[in-house]
Amino acid sequence: MPLKRIFKNKRKYAALPTEKAKQDIPEGLVEKCQQCSKIFYEKEWKNNLHVCPSCGTHHKMTARERIASLIDEGSFQEWDAELKTTNPLNFPEYEQKLIQDQEKTGLNDAIVTGRGKINKNDVVLVVMDPFFRMASMGGVVGEKIARALERAKDSQLPVIIFTASGGARMQEGMISLMQMAKTAMAVDRFDQAGGCLIVVMTNPTTGGVTASFASIGDYHFAEPNALIGFAGRRIIEQTIREKLPDDFQTAEFQLEQGQIDRIVKRSELKQLLTTVLDLHTVGGDHS
Amino acid sequence: MKQFLDFEKPIFELKDKITELKQMAEDSELDLAEDIHRLETRLVNLEENIYQHLSAWDRVQIARHPERPTALDYIDHLFTDFIELHGDRLFRDDPAIITGIASYKGQPVTVIAQQRGKNTKENIYRNFASAHPEGYRKALRQMKLAEKFNRPIISFIDTKGAHPGKGAEERGQGEAIARNLKEMAQLRVPSLSIVIGEGGSGGALGIGLTDQIYMLENSIYSVISPEGAASILWKDATKAKEAAQSLKLNAKDLKQLDIIDDIIPEPKGGAHRDFQMQAAYLDVHIKKSIKYLQSLPLEQLIERRWQKYKKIGEIQN
Ligand SMILES: [Zn+2]
Ligand SMILES: [Zn+2]
């Protein structure tokens, strides 16, 4: 649907009056936009890919939802789903936290990788899941990214990485930090082999992820208003002792600063990716 | 300035007592030799006891000691003809990172270093060794020159982290570090990094993706400061001690985890207690590393670098 109509608010949405919804609708059937507080039927919300039909806010998606929204039906083969961390530093309370999030998300760690087709284009997909430990990068995340890039290199497939991350997985200490090195090196090997890497930054992309594989792709796209940056807002404000503008570290800010190529709405993402992939595979008339 | 760290207090109290006793013996001509000997033996045991059993947090204190030697101290001592080279050619010169060329025992080398100040004024000028993107870009420019002229690279790591600031974000702090990691992955020259004080997160790694990583015995290398970890995990910055322990940020832990290649010993009590000795230890290790890395055929060197980082966090299931 055209977004300008949404903003002009001409169309009647199935948005429900807040009070009535609270009273009449059983929980789980409605979804409330955290931005504008409007309430929608769960089904409508999902059909709209977690983008608020009223204010246009792009809310977080799980990795599986993301993949389902892009991939030709039945074409996705997942890789390394069984990889699980072993709490390498024996960090207190880490295992309980992992189990909690494993139960919550049905994933073993904060990332899903595999290959599939987007409008018939073969691709490798690497998708971080912000609902698992805020998609922080520990050994499993780094390992799965490195393996996916190596396989893509060997089978000469383009790679699309969806980033969403709070940064490092603190409980894995230096193993976590060194995943920055490992993933950046894997990107480099893929790049040297001529591979095409598309990075789509989603809310939030921060810390060590921004300072490694997320920032060295061939094409950098971002979803509207996604938080993208290296240091956290609070720590910057503490350091410089001033308040930062509201739009600081948004996708729009990064576009203006020259750090990303384009902002793309979720509703237009599949088409954009398809076109970019096509432009890398289709030969001209002369060939 | 305080002469000792908290955990060293008993040592310095005992030392004072011995000095006092010696003075007394001299002044009064009493024979206190036996008492003095007894206390000196106790001092040896006490020092042994304390310095052999430093906690992670004790080492954090040593790593941050204001008198701990800085990169420039080592550079001046270990290299000849050091020529500092400034600027990233894009924005400005970042004094938090020093770069240049020098001779190491006749071998031309490229030196990259995070430089702390020794006093408040210097620290403000050097931004406490916390670099902006232009610092990382300056370092990268020098690394590419090192590659062009076939010089080994030696990085001195000593920073709390990359600068968290407005300009730094505007100019792409994340991109600058990421770019360095990607470029360092394929540099066709040997490289060594040495953590001499604090290795703070991505800001440290931004000049540290090298063929070998060495750490001074009491230095630390961590994904987050112990204070930061404590306040995020337990909403309580005073639990930094516990966090330091859990993060495994000491040289010994990181050697065990196979993240670093060697530990450079420190004089008793830390590098600041005997700079000459510390510089000598460093010298031996730099020599060893460069000799080894230069002995490897180039393709093997680069493959070895990939294997080194690839195996960190590798999952066997
Ligand atoms: Zn809304
Ligand atoms: Zn040694």
Side-chain angles (χ1 to χ4, degrees), chain B residues 214 261-265 281 284-285 288:
Chain B
Y214 288 179
D261 296 87
D262 203 0
I263 301 171
I264 304 178
Y281 286 152
V284 173
H285 282 82
K288 178 185 77 170

Side-chain angles (χ1 to χ4, degrees), chain A residues 32-38 40 45 51-57 59:
Chain A
K32 180 177 173 183
C33 175
Q34 298 303 322
Q35 191 61 34
C36 69
S37 297
K38 290 220 170 84
F40 302 90
W45 186 259
V51 177
C52 174
S54 176
C55 73
T57 297
H59 294 277

Side-chain angles (χ1 to χ4, degrees), chain B residues 56 117 127 152 200 210 239 257 280-281 288 300 311:
Chain B
N127 196 34
T210 47
K239 290 205 171 148
L257 287 166
Y281 286 152
K288 178 185 77 170
Q300 196 183 323
K311 77 172 194 292

Side-chain angles (χ1 to χ4, degrees), chain A residues 78-80 113-115 124 144-157 159 190:
Chain A
E78 188 172 347
W79 293 335
D80 305 316
T113 59
R115 66 177 287 178
V124 169
K144 285 176 80 167
I145 292 172
R147 284 193 193 182
L149 285 161
E150 286 288 299
R151 287 191 190 124
K153 172 169 74 75
D154 295 340
S155 30
Q156 296 187 300
L157 291 174
V159 176
F190 180 68

Side-chain angles (χ1 to χ4, degrees), chain B residues 127-272:
Chain B
N127 196 34
F128 299 84
S130 285
H132 284 71
E134 47 272 25
Y136 294 104
R137 289 171 184 144
K138 168 167 77 171
L140 178 58
R141 197 171 70 80
Q142 291 304 328
M143 291 189 252
K144 299 302 270 185
L145 272 186
E147 182 175 52
K148 178 175 176 187
F149 296 112
N150 200 24
R151 291 188 288 261
I153 298 166
I154 302 166
S155 279
F156 293 90
I157 292 177
D158 192 9
T159 183
K160 286 187 189 306
H163 180 68
K166 197 159 174 261
E169 293 293 316
E170 285 166 351
R171 296 192 290 281
Q173 188 74 287
E175 193 274 344
I177 293 171
R179 178 75 44 205
N180 280 18
L181 299 180
K182 183 177 185 301
E183 296 291 329
M184 292 180 98
Q186 48 164 302
L187 284 175
R188 300 177 72 78
V189 284
S191 55
L192 163 70
S193 56
I194 307 167
V195 185
I196 57 170
E198 234 177 311
S201 194
L205 188 61
I207 61 164
L209 197 165
T210 47
D211 293 311
Q212 289 198 307
I213 307 171
Y214 288 179
M215 281 177 79
L216 293 198
E217 187 184 343
N218 294 309
S219 63
I220 59 170
Y221 204 170
S222 185
V223 69
I224 185 169
S225 72
E227 293 87 347
S231 67
I232 293 174
L233 286 170
W234 302 302
K235 315 273 173 256
D236 183 358
T238 62
K239 290 205 171 148
K241 263 186 204 186
E242 287 93 312
Q245 194 70 41
S246 301
L247 283 166
K248 306 255 192 301
L249 42 65
N250 289 150
K252 210 174 142 198
D253 292 324
L254 295 172
K255 178 79 176 69
Q256 248 161 37
L257 287 166
D258 222 359
I259 285 172
I260 64 165
D261 296 87
D262 203 0
I263 301 171
I264 304 178
E266 292 192 26
K268 220 186 316 175
H272 61 290

